Amino acid sequence: MQIQWKQLLELLTQPLIDKGFTDEHAKQIATIVRRTVGMGITTHGIRPWVATLNRAEEFAKDQSLQIEQAAPAFAVINASEIAPQIAMDIAVKEAIQRAEQYGVGTVGVNNPGWVGALGPYMIEALKHGTPCTITGQSVTCVDCAPIGGLDPLFSTNPIGFSYGTLDDGMIADFSTAAISMGKTGQLIKAGQLAPDEWYREQDGTWTDDPMAMKRDGSLAFTGGKHGG
């Protein structure tokens, strides 16, 4: 079954409207998901959309900007009551606006939900020709052990950066870990091994078996056994 981009946007937008989102914000959230799917980031497109849909009653009525701290080139957004996709969209646009006025702009987003992949948000920066860097830090999941350690204490926190324009630009979106937990879950479901020894068992043994994560093992940072 093939779905056109316009159809996908409509399919993702309407359930959000039915849950109380405005047409504008529902379309914004759906657009982020559509971009994610288009970039091939299969683990962070539909699932964050479902997470937002399931929490719609918590923040659907007021999606306005809530700035906790502000300075000419800096701001912090309280995203605890804003749909995560909207919070990130606001943050990028606020940062771009500050960068265009002051040469640099930094916006922090506190307490968002699952924002999904970072790459799709940076398309806005490409539209303006503004170099952009986004980092994410979460303590919701503990998958990676510190360098030299065995106990998982850190999440697979993402990093993204972009430069150039829509016509001649680049977006990089990657994890601090050797592989994402979403991809790890896919390997487990398919009964497949990882391309390299990216996991450690509880006793410290390196393995390419993603099932190590089911045995209280840990995931290596980027570089894995050979450089992580």
Side-chain angles (χ1 to χ4, degrees):
M1 178 180 178
Q2 293 185 339
I3 299 177
Q4 295 181 351
W5 284 122
K6 184 178 179 181
Q7 291 176 304
L8 179 60
L9 188 64
E10 293 172 352
L11 287 171
L12 294 169
T13 299
Q14 192 57 51
L16 295 166
I17 293 175
D18 294 343
K19 285 283 190 175
F21 283 95
T22 65
D23 290 6
E24 177 187 359
H25 287 139
K27 189 174 181 179
Q28 280 180 300
I29 295 169
T31 296
I32 291 296
V33 178
R34 186 176 70 167
R35 290 175 182 173
T36 308
V37 173
M39 290 180 179
I41 312 172
T42 56
T43 58
H44 285 67
I46 300 299
R47 290 176 64 194
W49 174 85
V50 171
T52 296
L53 186 68
N54 289 340
R55 293 185 56 208
E57 287 77 8
E58 298 178 33
F59 39 53
K61 294 181 181 179
D62 184 11
Q63 297 290 293
S64 59
L65 179 66
Q66 302 178 47
I67 294 183
E68 291 184 329
Q69 303 174 38
F74 173 78
V76 176
I77 296 175
N78 178 3
S80 58
E81 298 180 3
I82 305 177
Q85 293 91 345
I86 298 297
M88 287 293 292
D89 184 63
I90 290 173
V92 170
K93 290 175 180 176
E94 283 287 316
I96 291 171
Q97 181 180 343
R98 284 167 166 74
E100 290 178 341
Q101 187 171 359
Y102 300 105
V104 63
T106 303
V107 177
V109 183
N110 282 342
N111 303 314
W114 192 359
V115 302
L118 301 184
Y121 298 103
M122 292 186 279
I123 289 179
E124 193 66 30
L126 292 181
K127 290 180 181 179
H128 290 259
T130 306
C132 177
T133 300
I134 303 178
T135 61
Q137 191 279 329
S138 173
V139 295
T140 304
C141 305
V142 284
D143 308 308
C144 298
I147 301 299
L150 294 176
D151 295 332
L153 299 174
F154 300 105
S155 180
T156 57
N157 298 316
I159 300 173
F161 64 85
S162 65
Y163 62 85
T165 66
L166 282 176
D167 294 328
D168 185 17
M170 170 184 158
I171 289 177
D173 183 356
F174 53 97
S175 172
T176 54
I179 187 173
S180 71
M181 279 304 297
K183 290 288 181 65
T184 295
Q186 289 180 346
L187 290 176
I188 292 173
K189 186 175 181 180
Q192 297 176 345
L193 301 176
D196 202 347
E197 294 179 329
W198 290 340
Y199 307 96
R200 299 189 81 172
E201 302 284 4
Q202 277 188 310
D203 64 0
T205 303
W206 287 94
T207 178
D208 58 2
D209 183 2
M211 283 298 294
M213 299 302 293
K214 297 286 188 179
R215 299 189 287 266
D216 297 323
S218 61
L219 176 58
F221 286 114
T222 297
K225 177 181 179 179
H226 308 292

